[in-house]
DNA sequence: CATGACGGTATCATTTCCGATACTATGAGC
DNA sequence: GCTCATAGTATCGGAAATGATACCGTCATG
């Protein structure tokens, strides 16, 4: 259970902030939750949304999210395998949080573009 | 700069979510921001609010927050030293985010009590 | 001189995170 | 038998985060 970072959340009232942060932290959870907010997705569909995540990591994050009761994992007895991920009711309660996170990012970071404009020289680090 | 976790935020629209998360992540940033929302605080005052944080960590988190433009560090030329931390305007823009985090925590975790009150047998799945 | 208060900094060791790669299982198609 | 597709799992190694502890600098007090 690598998700436990605080043995004791001794942080007075602000504690609730940390408690929440701890649950949705983890490098990919935020985005996963965000995508799942829009509907059920299969494992590989999720992977396509997260181009740089490894299979191992995606699985790990999904498991933790499942453990925390945020996502539901549905396995279909088919071949090839089919596994769907969706939010539980508890997972949906995170919507305002994810939304706040998204909105802030949209307004205050350079990632606030839903529709990538190809006319923008985004990442163009001179390689030499 | 230890706070960079994603080399590339290739996560489609949800990217903004991660971008924001990255800035307020860091084990203590959330709580620090929360406390600073209520007003300027001195270093040791902050420490008292975070009983389990080490001096080293608190300093580190504060520096990152400062680097990211969220907090303002004011040093007074006195002895013994006096350093005050307060939110910048940019820092205040995080208020809705912190609030959403706090509210979710208040409602869905056992830390939702300003005045410790364990009369709430929260539905704890994964009973370990 | 020694101690205390305040706010740090430096160093060391451990824990945890995360990526790369390889292996598993099954039915379809050739 | 070989390859493809899907969804994982197992193992190894390097990087980053975090904790513990000791040391720094200054003025006041005794």
């Amino acid at each position: 259970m690598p998700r436990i970072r605080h043995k004791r959340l001794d942080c007075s009232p602000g504690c609730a902030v940390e408690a929440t942060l701890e649950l949705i932290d983890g490098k990919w959870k935020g985005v996963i939750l965000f995508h799942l907010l829009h509907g059920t997705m299969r494992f590989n569909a999720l992977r396509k949304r997260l181009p740089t995540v490894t299979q191992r990591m995606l699985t790990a994050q999904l498991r933790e999210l499942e453990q925390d009761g945020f996502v539901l994992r549905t396995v279909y007895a088919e071949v090839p395998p089919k596994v769907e991920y969706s939010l539980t009711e508890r997972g949906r309660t995170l919507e305002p949080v994810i939304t706040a996170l998204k909105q802030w990012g949209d307004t205050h970071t350079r990632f606030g573009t839903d529709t990538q404009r190809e006319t923008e020289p985004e990442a163009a680090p001179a390689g030499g």
Side-chain angles (χ1 to χ4, degrees), chain A:
Chain A
M1 267 71 315
R3 67 193 162 65
I4 177 169
R5 300 201 310 183
H6 292 248
K7 277 79 182 259
R8 298 176 62 199
L9 282 288
D10 289 337
C11 20
S12 35
C15 201
V17 177
E18 262 302 307
T20 307
L21 228 26
E22 221 178 298
L23 292 171
I24 62 177
D25 177 38
K27 186 153 190 179
W28 296 106
K29 291 189 188 176
V31 224
I32 292 174
L33 251 10
F34 175 79
H35 286 304
L36 254 23
L37 227 35
H38 300 318
T40 295
M41 293 183 81
R42 291 184 59 175
F43 189 81
N44 276 355
L46 231 21
R47 277 187 83 179
K48 277 174 201 148
R49 301 286 195 159
L50 283 4
T52 61
V53 75
T54 58
Q55 200 165 34
R56 181 185 172 289
M57 271 310 294
L58 184 52
T59 301
Q61 301 286 290
L62 250 6
R63 298 289 178 193
E64 287 185 18
L65 252 12
E66 196 190 353
Q67 263 181 50
D68 290 329
F70 294 139
V71 322
L72 180 66
R73 179 167 173 268
T74 310
V75 184
Y76 294 86
E78 301 176 4
V79 167
K82 175 177 172 183
V83 179
E84 286 186 342
Y85 290 91
S86 58
L87 289 185
T88 58
E89 275 203 30
R90 176 179 167 84
R92 288 188 192 291
T93 65
L94 281 173
E95 181 156 12
V97 174
I98 302 296
T99 300
L101 251 11
K102 172 85 163 65
Q103 286 187 353
W104 193 89
D106 278 347
T107 312
H108 304 272
T109 75
R110 63 195 176 85
F111 299 104
T113 45
D114 268 59
T115 50
Q116 288 184 302
R117 304 177 203 312
E118 281 106 288
T119 50
E120 245 175 295
E122 277 303 314

